[in-house]
Amino acid sequence: MMIPAFRLYALLAFACSAIAITPANAADAAALEGALDVLTAHVNKSKTLTTEEIASELETLNTNAAAIGEDAASIENVIEFINAYDARHKPLFIGKKQLHQKKKDSSDTIHWAAFWAMQHLFDQVYHSKGLKKYGDLIGSLKFRTADYFPGKVEAPINPEAYTVTINGSYPDVWGSPQFQDERPAVKPTGAYLVPGTTATIIVPESLVGRGYQVRVGAHSWDLEKKPRVERLFRVSALYDIDSTEVRVANPLGGGIYIEVPPGADAGIVEVAVKNAARSPYFSWKHFHRTSLKEWRESERHHKAPWTDFQSDKFMVQVPTSWIYKMDDPATYMNEWDLSMDRMNDLMGRPHLFGRETVYTQVDTQLRGRAFHPGYPGVNAGYDPRKDYGGYHNHHLVRGPRNAHSYEFHEKGHGFLFPKYAGDREAAVNLPHVAVMSQAFGMDLDAAFRSSRGEKNDFRTLDTTAIAWMMSQNFVEDGFMKPYERQYQLKGHAKYVDVARLFGWHMLGRFWESTHADYEAGNSWPKDVRDDDSDRYTVRLSKVTGADLRPLLHFWGIPPHDFEKQAKAIHDLGIQPSQAVYDTLAHYKSLIPEDRGAFRKYAKSWWEKQPNEDGYTTERNHAAYWESYDKAVAEKVRGTLQKIMDTYFPDGRPES
């Protein structure tokens, strides 16, 4: 019988996509068993199902998945189906390269059935209670898709105890909260669980019953909301440390980590792992440093699919095929540590706190719809089928000097620092500028430009000022709208100007003062506006010892209440700044004199004639392509002169 396309699509959409499982007390164990029996028979070719019939049985499986683990038989039935599928088909994502939750293909239905059988079994029993109860059943199970992700393990299993030291403390640290600092601190062991085996983790009594856990598989993010499906959604198993010996399993295998809860204070402790393989691990912690000899002769040659690099300040997991020819991880880690220091200096934070400043990892795809902060951050993908030759051309291997602008941009989000309303996607570009200029000596304009990935050498702080002055809103009301700031150089140029004039340390002192406010119970809003915006400008002026109102007004942050803000500046005894005056006078001198000068500028800025269909600033410049003349130039100069006259009524200050 021909199945109506709309009916089949609807059934597939329900059966194959992200689902809500019926609670265990309502799940029908008999229906689950029946569905698994029929699916197994189909895979074994003792029964032939139509696509619609497979989808119907899959729907039953998904609806009643909570019954898995109620007894041994429910687990045995799932394992029987998974083993039958693995025997008849190439492993998931190797034979069938990709599944998709929105682009349905009826030929994928049996693959979705196998996918969900594996996922449900993993979710329902691979945890402390499940392994203790059903260890004999599930401890030796391997999902063959493990050879795809996390990857094939060729390293030998060591039945003897391998020991490693970890920091078992995660203290509260001075300052305002950061993104996801409530998540446990992750501590690599350099041990890797081979799928289809169990390992034993031996810990001191000080870790038992205090919220510590063992994680098997570094990739802790759930990807169920992603349309494209390139691995099981959940692949990382957690086991409570409720005894000095903890048995762990994962049918996909994975690196073995100790998770340290916030507030823990066990200090430096030794952990042992039995019956696991070794994975490459370069430790650059203050209490455990891998030597270059150890790395070159041993560590990088361990044949597990994932590698850990960790210092007290930075941690990353990358595919081993990215690094097995990497020769000098010491320099690599020193440069990442230096980058972390410069970011923390900028944000007014200590260099060391309870866990790494940045923890990031590679996965099959990004964890969010775009780049995103996180612990761990996941902003780099890879192809598990590919050998990358041992020294991949990626900044997570080559180091922070080569970092894409997103790396420090996303950490900027993660700092959760207070910023002017509208600066959410602007101020977060500042850490990149600080790192590149302060850690690695990059020219300020080059560092500024690279914070947005710009390759056009014409784009500098000066030419960015012109771009803003050639914008309609500069002349109309002087307020730079949020959409003119986000992901654009002019959005964070004001902070770079402050750093250029008064030093990066002044910005650090400013944000340090906001942490002091938090500790005193006076938190700043994350997006400061109105009176808070004026107060923010006053505080920044107080810290630098210079009246920054005219500079910030120029860059699109006019006062909300001029008189009130002026009084606050006066009461603090803050004087007009000669450096600010000279900067504004310089910017005034850059205004194109006539249409020819403007066109020359615009063509250099855009590397083409600006397009009226572009975004706001490009549209503004496109409008000026024909209309800009000396009268317009005079109007722009008059706008800037008015700002200068407002704050410098007596002209250029003497100091």
Side-chain angles (χ1 to χ4, degrees), residues 320-326 386-392 398:
T320 298
S321 75
W322 284 23
I323 59 83
Y324 60 78
K325 291 183 180 177
M326 184 182 191
K386 182 177 178 180
D387 185 329
Y388 286 82
Y391 194 44
H392 186 37
R398 299 302 176 101

Side-chain angles (χ1 to χ4, degrees), residues 298-530:
S298 177
E299 287 296 326
R300 66 178 174 178
H301 300 296
H302 294 309
K303 294 188 179 300
W306 289 90
T307 296
D308 296 287
F309 294 91
Q310 183 197 28
S311 73
D312 298 305
K313 303 171 183 178
F314 174 78
M315 181 164 69
V316 63
Q317 283 108 26
V318 297
T320 298
S321 75
W322 284 23
I323 59 83
Y324 60 78
K325 291 183 180 177
M326 184 182 191
D327 202 49
D328 186 8
T331 298
Y332 164 84
M333 291 301 286
N334 279 333
E335 291 193 347
W336 276 113
D337 281 358
L338 183 60
S339 300
M340 302 301 106
D341 289 348
R342 295 296 81 83
M343 281 200 295
N344 283 315
D345 288 343
L346 172 66
M347 291 289 107
R349 292 185 176 275
H351 287 181
L352 291 173
F353 41 94
R355 64 183 191 192
E356 305 82 13
T357 298
V358 166
Y359 168 29
T360 190
Q361 65 185 197
V362 179
D363 204 334
T364 55
Q365 57 183 312
L366 309 188
R367 80 169 183 88
R369 288 181 295 178
F371 298 128
H372 206 280
Y375 187 88
V378 181
N379 294 310
Y382 84 118
D383 182 352
R385 303 172 190 83
K386 182 177 178 180
D387 185 329
Y388 286 82
Y391 194 44
H392 186 37
N393 186 24
H394 191 283
H395 69 264
L396 292 182
V397 173
R398 299 302 176 101
R401 292 174 185 265
N402 307 290
H404 189 286
S405 59
Y406 72 73
E407 195 67 62
F408 300 117
H409 173 106
E410 295 307 331
K411 183 56 194 179
H413 282 298
F415 278 123
L416 301 180
F417 63 100
K419 56 190 76 68
Y420 290 110
D423 270 3
R424 184 170 298 181
E425 291 292 349
V428 294
N429 295 305
L430 194 59
H432 181 101
V433 188
V435 168
M436 294 303 164
S437 63
Q438 296 298 289
F440 304 122
M442 186 181 287
D443 171 78
L444 184 62
D445 280 325
F448 175 54
R449 183 165 54 244
S450 70
S451 67
R452 289 307 312 145
E454 296 283 358
K455 304 297 184 184
N456 181 359
D457 290 348
F458 182 76
R459 295 194 172 191
T460 65
L461 198 53
D462 277 359
T463 57
T464 300
I466 301 172
W468 167 229
M469 291 188 287
M470 296 296 101
S471 298
Q472 184 177 346
N473 285 325
F474 177 78
V475 175
E476 287 195 350
D477 62 9
F479 179 69
M480 192 184 294
K481 306 301 186 287
Y483 53 79
E484 295 178 282
R485 300 183 226 170
Q486 59 187 16
Y487 309 112
Q488 297 167 71
L489 292 174
K490 61 183 181 295
H492 57 295
K494 55 185 171 288
Y495 300 103
V496 179
D497 236 353
V498 171
R500 179 177 63 84
L501 293 174
F502 302 102
W504 286 98
H505 65 289
M506 289 298 186
L507 290 174
R509 289 180 187 176
F510 168 68
W511 278 302
E512 182 181 13
S513 77
T514 68
H515 298 307
D517 291 338
Y518 170 82
E519 293 291 344
N522 302 310
S523 299
W524 287 78
K526 293 298 178 284
D527 299 299
V528 296
R529 62 184 76 245
D530 301 334

